[in-house]
Amino acid sequence: MPPNTTATTGDKPGKSGRKKGRKARLIVLVLVLAIIGGIAYGGYWSISTVRASFPQTKGSITLEGLSGPVDVKRDGYGIPQIYASSDEDLFMAQGYVQAQDRFYEMDVRRHMTSGRLSEMFGKSQVDNDEFLRTLGWDRVAKKEYDTTLSDSTKKYLQAYAKGVNAYLAGKGAEDISLEYAALGFTNDYKPAQWTPVDSVSWLKAMAWDLRGNMQEEIDRALLTSRLGPQQIAELYPEYPYDGNDGTIVQDGRYDELTETFEGGGSGDSGDSDSGSTEGSTEGSTEGSTEGSSDGTGDSSGTEGSALQSQLSGLYDVLDDLPVAVGVNGNGIGSNSWVVAGKYTITGKPLLANDPHLSASLPSVWYQMGLHCRTVSSTCQYDVSGYTFAGMPGVIIGHNRDISWGMTNSGVDVTDLYLEKLSGDGYVYDGEVEAFTTREETIKVAGGSPKKIVVRQTADGMPLLSDRDTELVKVGKKATVDAAAPDRGDGYAVALKWTALEAGTTMDAVFEMNRAADWDDFRAAARKFDVPSQNLIYADTENHIGYQLPGKIPTRAKGVDGSIPSPGWDSKYKWTGYIDFDELPYEYDPERGYIVTANQAVVDPEKYPYTLTTDWGYGTRSQRITDLIKLKTRNGGKISTDDMRQMQLDNDSQIARLVVPALLKINLDDPDVREAQELLQGWGYTQDADSAAAAYFNAVWRNILKLAFGDKLPKELRVKGQCLWVDPVNSTGPVDETGKVRECGQRDGDQAQPDGGDRWFEVVRNLMEKPDSDWWTTPESGRRPGADHNRDKLFERAMIDARWELTAKLGKDIDTWSWGRLHRLFLKNQTLGTSGPGFLQYILNRGPWKLSGGEAAVNAAGWNAAGGYDVVWVPSMRMVVNLDDLDKSKWINLTGASGHAFSAHYTDQTDKWAKGELLDWSFSAKAVDGNTSDTLVLKP
């Protein structure tokens, strides 16, 4: 044992499922060892090596630094509930326990946030490290720790770090996890001590993944190489306020505020077109959605081509970055809603939350409870929920008085700026300003270190264009208006982002954890500066609420942040931040419920600030609202299980729109007619065993490809999809008709059209335009074409879908099912994606056949451009019962453990896939009744 620990009994995991789990592990390990034995890695793994990293969950351990004993009680799923008598002991124990289960994951995360992945994984990560060093998350986190966080928060962070380091003391890397043993074959890496800044840095990674509309800025500009302004506007339609409610149903509260800002001033939306794809016109780059003056939008000539190349390069860098909380790209969202007691069986609120994130193994979430034996001034916490391994406190959950949930608000907190370079500086309002610079040294496992220079503008904007060979070209020939300065050697691209300023979100986490009422909760939210999230609230006193927090910028009149801005002109600078008291909120609304699912928060006509031009389109939020109304009609009441059933709603809103049109189409081929008949009488539910859901989603995918995908520029299309197109400054083979062959450049889970609810709205708007240009596609073999003919294009899509599923699932439609197409694979996010094949076999799990679908409430998302496999999921689900907290329910995507052969590696996944929830014990009595293993940490 390490010198500062003493085990008195046991070193085995929890008893639940132990025999079954042990047998399975031994069988797999025998196979693995047989494989490894035939590979010349200069060593082998034994069963004892694998088991050495399993946490001790029984008996006692002595930890230096504790002031009193701490009990760690784990249930049959390995979920820990910690009991202590002081705040510092509580968070020290949290650090120790999370490190027991997830230290490798924690270590990878901190290397990502600090731009040091190359130290673990070698030269393949150098480009990522360069970009992450340029962003400087860890530098901002250190400034935050040194200058803005409260003394109490620093104490908790220090205690947490002390607990992590107590776990590390005396352990070799191979004693911590299987992954370290694997790394040991090629790398002599040893984990370093944990620091408080490592925890704070994770908030920056979280903010990056939830940063807003940067991707939309890039995509709108890329589209101009093929599409004109009207076409782009049709692909980014206005939010359907007439059909989908915003989060806040306006009650007049903002009328006075709107009048105050009417006609101009900081943050004023005024009479500008903010919110539309046209955006601002004055001083804007012509390579944006405004297009060229003749309306063609070709961006022809070398200038437009260069802009496409530059922004495509930026996309490639962003797409290659490892995800933090599991978000990277378009379409991902979350559901959260709260129902007041007047509509519930218990008479007290019910609160549900299920964040939609990329699937990862282990899950990004870690379930636990943090309990003071007696809540007092020296021990203030009694809270349970979901947190991140590597961070103290609870992110989403409840304490004994209140509960809260989160969804991404999507507000626009990032802007890209084109910068005119001049010598060693950049032009700003006609003067040359000097860059601030710093040198960074990147250590590389198995290689030589690399030095880079990071440049920033005077107001702290890093130059992203320094970090990629494509981006070096940025702005060299970008189309700009006549007022722009001479480009010289080209424009650079800089990033303005709220999270690059020191903030107080870590303070907010602790304040939220101990909040007792709405006023406490809002006071905590005031400090939740990044990322801006939709916060929903309920308490045991029968109140519900909503708050939009965050540091949200204001811009000059006519500037909406939807496209890259000219950095050389001060009028494009941010003008300030929206005051917290002017941010949207609700408390006990008369309607009796609040729904947030990434939809518009407010109606822009009734709110003076532009929060973003890129909301989610409200498909999920409106469906949840409709389900609540349906359940409560005629005096009906909602139960905890009703909330769970709503989370599992598989209804396809786009199918409700499109299927009636599909059923009217006359088809000659009897095999295609047979597939069409699957849709007759289908209830639009996307169950895993549904053949109709499989066929409809295949038709939907082909409609999108034919109508839109084949017309998009290569930068947005999926890799491997090659088309012969009219040349727009393309290089490549030219056919006899003068067309060139262009192949898509994006990974399948990031390409367009992704099929999300933006595309629902696009198609909805075009359904009544059956002769639109979009309903055009050439004839292909025996498949008919369509010339401005919606139904002919639909016919072609139905034919193509029939033969696509024949190839994938067989000709017999009786064997078809949505789950056979719509599968979830769980992959370890480092060695499970890029390690040797045998190691991926050890670390990864799946597949699972899933219900749900794109923009369904049960959002098992898939990218229509790339295929049918699941690319994001409800990463956890919870329903909190404010009448009896012990009757609350929860589930995680995977399990508590990050150890590949632990019984708790994926022991919740089967239940999660079936839509089941686990009991969520909170009171001491309930926790004791559900405890399988108890570990005592002694001072």
Side-chain angles (χ1 to χ4, degrees), residues 40 85 88 184 393 436 562 601 625 790:
S85 298
E88 286 85 350
T436 60
S562 63
V601 172
T625 297
R790 184 197 69 189

Side-chain angles (χ1 to χ4, degrees), residues 230-294:
Q230 179 58 39
Q231 292 171 308
I232 295 173
E234 289 175 335
L235 299 188
Y236 286 88
E238 294 281 354
Y239 186 89
Y241 290 99
D242 57 338
N244 294 344
D245 292 339
T247 300
I248 293 180
V249 178
Q250 296 296 330
D251 58 5
R253 183 187 317 121
Y254 298 109
D255 290 350
E256 181 179 351
L257 189 60
T258 302
E259 292 169 3
T260 301
F261 288 93
E262 195 169 69
S266 173
D268 173 50
S269 57
D271 297 323
S272 74
D273 288 328
S274 61
S276 72
T277 53
E278 283 79 22
S280 59
T281 55
E282 185 178 2
S284 60
T285 60
E286 292 178 10
S288 69
T289 54
E290 287 80 38
S292 54
S293 59
D294 64 3

Side-chain angles (χ1 to χ4, degrees), residues 660-682:
L662 297 178
L663 290 174
K664 294 178 181 178
I665 294 173
N666 293 320
L667 298 165
D668 295 331
D669 190 319
D671 290 318
V672 183
R673 285 202 308 271
E674 182 186 31
Q676 181 188 37
E677 289 169 1
L678 290 172
L679 304 178
Q680 190 74 48
W682 176 45

Side-chain angles (χ1 to χ4, degrees), residues 57-75:
T57 60
K58 289 184 175 181
S60 65
I61 297 176
T62 299
L63 297 186
E64 294 179 4
L66 287 176
S67 63
V70 177
D71 296 326
V72 182
K73 301 180 180 183
R74 293 179 183 260
D75 66 12

Side-chain angles (χ1 to χ4, degrees), residues 384-527:
S384 183
Y386 297 85
T387 188
F388 301 124
M391 269 186 60
V394 168
I395 303 299
I396 294 173
H398 70 82
N399 60 29
R400 59 185 182 177
D401 298 309
I402 75 165
S403 178
W404 66 95
M406 297 184 191
T407 63
N408 193 23
S409 70
V411 299
D412 186 1
V413 295
T414 59
D415 278 344
L416 296 174
Y417 284 85
L418 296 178
E419 301 291 347
K420 159 63 179 171
L421 303 181
S422 179
D424 293 330
Y426 62 100
V427 173
Y428 185 70
D429 281 351
E431 302 292 333
V432 176
E433 302 280 349
F435 287 110
T436 60
T437 63
R438 67 177 187 272
E439 186 175 83
E440 298 269 357
T441 301
I442 298 171
K443 297 179 181 178
V444 183
S448 301
K450 181 175 182 180
K451 291 186 177 182
I452 64 170
V453 174
V454 176
R455 296 191 290 176
Q456 293 184 173
T457 64
D459 58 350
M461 293 195 297
L463 260 65
L464 304 187
S465 49
D466 284 349
R467 298 282 74 90
D468 182 76
T469 54
E470 284 294 322
L471 287 176
V472 169
K473 305 174 186 176
V474 69
K476 277 191 174 181
K477 297 179 180 179
T479 303
V480 292
D481 74 356
D486 179 79
R487 69 185 73 253
D489 290 332
Y491 302 131
V493 172
L495 170 68
K496 183 70 173 177
W497 178 35
T498 55
L500 295 182
E501 302 172 23
T504 54
T505 300
M506 200 71 244
D507 286 341
V509 170
F510 292 116
E511 289 192 20
M512 203 168 291
N513 284 193
R514 60 178 185 260
D517 56 27
W518 173 246
D519 289 341
D520 288 349
F521 181 77
R522 285 200 78 208
R526 185 180 292 272
K527 298 182 179 180

